[in-house]
Amino acid sequence: MDELWERKTELLYNLDRIRRSGVELTDVVTFFLKHQHTVTQNTELSELVADFLHEKLQVGRSIQYDRSMRQTFGRFMKTVGEDRVIGTITPQLVTDYVYRVHKHTSPTTKRNLLRNLSVLFNFAVKKEKLEKNPVEKIDRPTVPFSKPHVLSPSDFEKLLRLCVRNKWHDRLAVFVLVGFCGIRVEESSRLLWSNLHLHKGIVEVSAEIAKKAAFRNNVIPPNAMSWLRLIEDKRRTGPSSVPIGFGNFGQPSNEQKFLIGKTASVIRSVPTDSPQKYSPLVT
């Protein structure tokens, strides 16, 4: 009662305001309690992205994951506004961003965009910054099936020999690592020659390089060893270590990455039990 008396003026003033709107006090209180989460959690998009990336690095996600997500969310923020309050991001806004802004991209790219944005907004829901994920009910694009092109072992050998004849040591190294050693395309362009231990027969893939931030050693089979011995870089340690496949040219250009990606996607389909894959190299 004491509190009611002390706040009498405030109560009477607000009751008068409510009465003019034709609603009851109980309705106002009910509405506020239902929506107080939205009212109190006016997180900006840039803040949500920063929190998300910080937590993912904290729990061990790779630098590559951070870089990829940072680029994806950066483009989204540039379009919708980094200071936009996340509670105002609607399914229609995300739909327009994916299907109109990126209308010339492939269905796979659109699907990946929706997946990454959904991960971000699920994080917001988990942290109680949003009630619902605005991406949840957006239809995903249909990705048409395309029959993979299979490169025969003999054709793959011709490809490698072509690299040797033309002294394309950069491409040869990447093709061998991806085709024989189970190295992902993205990983191959980040490996250094110091990561290859030819005397032990392994490729050391550090957590910083690995896609899932998990250290592993990949075995180098005999045939791959023979190819790598042909182009072995002697600069093993120190600042002179360079990315495999790019010699003195430093980091790969977008054009080089494209070429490597297209060819490596083909050589991944070489049958793992093919005799050419593990037969001794004939020079």
Side-chain angles (χ1 to χ4, degrees):
M1 292 296 295
D2 289 342
E3 182 181 3
L4 289 175
W5 181 256
E6 290 174 0
R7 302 183 65 179
K8 178 180 68 173
T9 303
E10 176 189 353
L11 289 170
L12 290 174
Y13 170 70
N14 284 298
L15 280 172
D16 184 56
R17 292 172 65 197
I18 292 169
R19 194 174 295 115
R20 289 182 220 160
S21 301
V23 296
E24 298 295 330
L25 176 61
T26 302
D27 297 332
V28 173
V29 174
T30 301
F31 181 86
F32 173 79
L33 292 175
K34 183 178 179 180
H35 294 87
Q36 65 172 332
H37 184 74
T38 304
V39 173
T40 57
Q41 295 290 343
N42 291 324
T43 305
E44 292 185 356
L45 181 58
S46 58
E47 181 184 344
L48 175 66
V49 169
D51 290 346
F52 173 87
L53 295 173
H54 173 73
E55 179 164 305
K56 294 306 175 184
L57 285 176
Q58 199 171 43
V59 299
R61 296 308 296 260
S62 68
I63 297 297
Q64 285 68 42
Y65 178 86
D66 176 82
R67 184 181 298 120
S68 174
M69 289 302 211
R70 195 176 293 275
Q71 290 174 349
T72 297
F73 300 149
R75 288 190 289 266
F76 182 63
M77 287 191 291
K78 186 176 180 179
T79 301
V80 305
E82 62 180 25
D83 58 348
R84 177 182 283 273
V85 174
I86 60 175
T88 66
I89 297 176
T90 63
Q92 187 58 52
L93 186 147
V94 178
T95 299
D96 289 344
Y97 174 74
V98 173
Y99 288 101
R100 294 181 62 185
V101 176
H102 293 84
K103 62 182 178 181
H104 297 301
T105 61
S106 69
T108 300
T109 298
K110 292 183 179 72
R111 182 179 285 269
N112 290 341
L113 276 173
L114 287 169
R115 183 195 64 219
N116 290 337
L117 290 173
S118 185
V119 168
L120 176 66
F121 291 120
N122 275 336
F123 173 80
V125 172
K126 175 183 174 183
K127 296 298 181 181
E128 299 185 347
K129 297 178 184 293
L130 274 180
E131 290 184 0
K132 292 189 294 185
N133 180 349
V135 184
E136 185 177 354
K137 295 185 179 180
I138 297 177
D139 289 336
R140 270 48 173 177
T142 300
V143 179
F145 172 78
S146 57
K147 185 178 179 180
H149 176 75
V150 177
L151 187 67
S152 69
S154 59
D155 286 339
F156 186 38
E157 184 175 359
K158 290 177 184 177
L159 172 66
L160 298 182
R161 291 190 181 282
L162 180 65
C163 290
V164 172
R165 283 200 305 272
N166 289 281
K167 297 183 179 180
W168 294 341
H169 297 170
D170 51 354
R171 300 173 193 176
L172 178 62
V174 172
F175 296 160
V176 168
L177 290 173
V178 175
F180 293 156
C181 305
I183 303 297
R184 295 180 175 91
V185 177
E186 301 80 10
E187 295 170 342
S188 67
S189 62
R190 294 193 293 263
L191 285 169
L192 302 177
W193 276 102
S194 56
N195 296 122
L196 263 70
H197 303 283
L198 300 187
H199 61 293
K200 295 180 180 179
I202 60 171
V203 183
E204 182 183 275
V205 185
S206 66
E208 293 75 22
I209 293 173
K211 179 180 179 180
K212 297 185 178 179
F215 172 88
R216 70 179 194 275
N217 286 326
N218 285 32
V219 175
I220 303 174
N223 195 36
M225 182 72 74
S226 299
W227 289 107
L228 292 173
R229 288 289 188 193
L230 286 177
I231 57 169
E232 181 181 4
D233 193 310
K234 303 301 182 182
R235 294 165 292 180
R236 309 296 295 174
T237 58
S240 60
S241 292
V242 294
I244 288 176
F246 301 100
N248 295 317
F249 298 106
Q251 291 298 322
S253 65
N254 289 334
E255 184 178 356
Q256 286 173 314
K257 288 180 180 177
F258 177 79
L259 174 63
I260 290 168
K262 294 293 284 186
T263 308
S265 66
V266 175
I267 66 177
R268 276 201 287 271
S269 62
V270 175
T272 55
D273 57 350
S274 63
Q276 288 94 328
K277 190 166 184 178
Y278 296 104
S279 61
L281 172 67
V282 179
T283 56

